Amino acid sequence: MQGAVRRSPSTERSALGSVEWATAPTGPPHDHDGHGRPTRGGARIRLPDSLTVTGPVLGARPWIACARAVTRLTTTGRASRSEFWWTWLLQTVVAAVLLLAVPLLQGRTRDLQLPSGPFGPGLLGTVPLFSWNDTSGAPAGGASVVIWTVWSLLTLAPMVALAIRRLHDADHSAWWALGAVLVPVLSFVVLVLLAQRSKPVGVRFDRAHLDRPGADRPGAEGALAPSEGGR
């Protein structure tokens, strides 16, 4: 029997989502398939669903949550609780190291503060998580503060967009995020809203949900849920 033998596409379910590939025909290895897409060992390279799905990823791992935060710079759509809080926690850890740990080791113990809020401890942080003032020490500052300022500027847009998508997932308007900026006391209220469970009716904030019949049902296209539970 002559000619190349083709295998049907296969799908493998992993912790990151389903990854689909097509096995290339037998013969010499190629760096690209017939459509110019890169291949590796005869398998077409595709990103996992958890990185490309437009809806919320329930039970997202920390690295998936952070990757989606920096690659999805849009306020349209939704984000799950795990997507938001893992990214928020990373932002808080970076801030704690640069604004507290490093200055304390340098003896800069005057006016140490760690602000936070719905958008993390960045430039829009209005909720004081920690405050320390030792007048006998040097004032806060130094290279760590400069590094933090640059970091907070780079992550400001992703954190704001992520918070808005998380509000959408809990079926709340983005106006709550604006209210937290204009009225700092509302930050506590917004933090509570951000901690609420996902609601299927939040699909109304998706751009094209009306074009996808049944998209408002849990588990419909546009949302990715883990095999066991989810947040």
Side-chain angles (χ1 to χ4, degrees), residues 4 49 78 80 83 106 140 180 193 212 225:
D49 290 346
R78 297 164 290 153
S80 66
E83 289 182 67
Q106 295 176 341
L193 299 180
R212 300 197 305 268

Side-chain angles (χ1 to χ4, degrees), residues 130-152:
F130 180 86
S131 180
W132 177 269
N133 187 17
D134 184 1
T135 56
S136 62
S144 63
V145 176
V146 176
I147 296 175
W148 166 251
T149 302
V150 175
W151 170 270
S152 59

Side-chain angles (χ1 to χ4, degrees), residues 25 47 160 179 183 196:
L47 293 175
V160 171
V183 185
Q196 292 182 347

Side-chain angles (χ1 to χ4, degrees), residues 30 171 186 211:
H30 299 281
D171 194 32
L186 288 179
D211 298 331

Side-chain angles (χ1 to χ4, degrees), residues 208-217 220-221:
H209 78 279
L210 294 177
D211 298 331
R212 300 197 305 268
D216 56 340
R217 299 194 306 267
E221 182 181 359

